[in-house]
Amino acid sequence: MITYEDHRLRALADDGRWPELLAAYRQGRAAAVERAGEATAAALTAPLGHLIAYSAPPELAVRLFDADGGPGTAAGVADHDAGPLWEVLATRHSWLRLAPLLGPAAVRRLVAHTRVLLGEDLSYGAEPDGEGVPLCLEPWEAAGWEEGARVREYLPCGGARSALLTLPADREGLGVVELPDPADRLGGQRAARASAATAALAELAPWAEAVCVRGPAPLAAARVAVAARGAYGRRVVGGYLPFALVCPALVQAAAAGRARGSAHGRLALWRALGAMAGAGGPDRAEVNALVARMRCFTWLEPAAGLRHLHVALEDPASGVAWALSGSEEL
């Protein structure tokens, strides 16, 4: 139901009265925080926040995240409507426009990585990322996406369009494969070294199972596929893909949900790859070397949900493979 207040706010937007809209946002958010708490306040004011982030001049839109209006008035990194308010803002203006204006460090970082996903090279002229994640896309990050799919496409009055990336998406390039007997999970000292990588990989898709085994990728796939299918689960439709085609699905898995944006997915993937490479963090050289040698195996599951991910990632240099497998309904 469209209310009188909705019409009033839309009229203010049509007239370009953005300071009044920002004041209304701040007043409403602070009152809702006092009355019902932070989470409820963020939800109630998100549609107006989306309108400001999408349509207001950047000099005003960035003030959504400034606390100069008082307690409870500022949007945080989790404030979202169809997507995070900071991601809406990042899709509307270049880093050149936003960099001198953005204050809060967490928002600033996520906006920067969103602009990177949209194709900007921020490796010169922007402050380095605190974890060492590059501020430009590596070739393997850029290659596998369809045009415009890296970040949601937001609409002026709310809502967004986004690609639903799954792995595998179809049977193209896949064939019938007989998986080997499932390998045991790693044990001993090697398990201790691999546990951090397995945990980082699991964070990409909390609804999926992550395992690590000694051996090639099909052994890791067998560990999760046979467990899910039972005694008759060794024959699958599967095959190998270059990592560039796997990357988009991993980023999207980690960005699932309206409170998270594609920048979350990119940062989470770099953490996981850094851990898999045995580096102390997302070291660019180590990650690129890992991606260059990695073998990626994917397979179909008959009961996959609308969002699904079935992939095994093998590092031939260390003789270790990880699998990430699961699905969920949206």
Side-chain angles (χ1 to χ4, degrees), residues 14 51 95 148 178-179 181 184 268 275 287 290:
D14 290 342
L51 176 64
W95 181 249
E178 191 79 17
L179 294 177
D181 291 332
D184 292 332
V287 168
L290 171 67

Coordinates of all heavy atoms in Angstrom, one line a residue, residues 14 51 95 148 178-179 181 184 268 275 287 290:
D14 N 11.7 14.2 -6.3 CA 11.4 14.8 -7.7 C 11.9 16.2 -7.7 O 12.3 16.7 -8.8 CB 10.0 14.6 -8.1 CG 9.6 13.2 -8.3 OD1 10.5 12.3 -8.5 OD2 8.4 12.8 -8.3
L51 N 16.6 5.1 -1.8 CA 16.3 6.3 -2.7 C 17.4 7.3 -2.7 O 17.9 7.8 -3.7 CB 15.0 6.9 -2.3 CG 14.6 8.1 -3.0 CD1 14.3 7.8 -4.5 CD2 13.3 8.7 -2.4
W95 N 34.9 6.0 -8.2 CA 35.7 6.2 -7.0 C 36.3 7.6 -7.0 O 36.5 8.1 -5.9 CB 36.8 5.1 -7.0 CG 37.7 5.2 -5.8 CD1 39.0 5.6 -5.7 CD2 37.3 4.9 -4.4 NE1 39.5 5.6 -4.5 CE2 38.5 5.1 -3.6 CE3 36.2 4.5 -3.8 CZ2 38.5 5.0 -2.3 CZ3 36.2 4.3 -2.4 CH2 37.3 4.5 -1.7
G148 N 28.0 -7.2 -17.0 CA 27.1 -6.6 -16.0 C 26.7 -7.5 -14.8 O 25.8 -7.1 -14.0
E178 N 33.1 -41.7 -13.2 CA 33.0 -42.7 -12.1 C 34.0 -42.1 -11.0 O 35.2 -42.1 -11.2 CB 33.4 -44.1 -12.5 CG 33.2 -45.1 -11.5 CD 31.7 -45.6 -11.5 OE1 31.0 -45.3 -12.4 OE2 31.3 -46.2 -10.5
L179 N 33.4 -41.7 -9.9 CA 34.3 -41.2 -8.8 C 35.0 -42.3 -8.2 O 34.5 -43.4 -8.1 CB 33.4 -40.4 -7.8 CG 32.8 -39.1 -8.3 CD1 31.9 -38.5 -7.2 CD2 33.8 -38.1 -8.8
D181 N 36.8 -44.3 -4.8 CA 36.4 -44.5 -3.4 C 36.7 -43.2 -2.6 O 37.8 -42.6 -2.8 CB 37.1 -45.7 -2.8 CG 36.7 -47.0 -3.4 OD1 35.5 -47.0 -3.9 OD2 37.5 -47.9 -3.4
D184 N 39.8 -40.4 2.9 CA 39.6 -39.9 4.3 C 40.0 -38.4 4.4 O 40.8 -37.9 3.6 CB 40.5 -40.7 5.3 CG 40.0 -42.1 5.4 OD1 38.7 -42.3 5.2 OD2 40.8 -43.0 5.7
A268 N 36.0 -12.4 0.6 CA 36.0 -13.8 1.2 C 36.8 -14.8 0.3 O 37.5 -15.7 0.8 CB 34.6 -14.2 1.4
A275 N 44.5 -18.7 2.1 CA 44.7 -19.8 3.0 C 45.1 -21.1 2.3 O 45.9 -21.9 2.8 CB 43.4 -19.9 3.9
V287 N 48.5 -16.2 -4.4 CA 47.2 -16.5 -4.9 C 47.2 -16.7 -6.4 O 46.6 -17.7 -7.0 CB 46.1 -15.4 -4.5 CG1 44.8 -15.6 -5.3 CG2 45.9 -15.5 -3.0
L290 N 48.7 -20.0 -7.2 CA 47.8 -21.1 -6.9 C 46.7 -21.3 -8.0 O 46.5 -22.4 -8.5 CB 47.1 -20.9 -5.6 CG 45.9 -21.8 -5.2 CD1 46.4 -23.2 -5.0 CD2 45.2 -21.3 -4.0

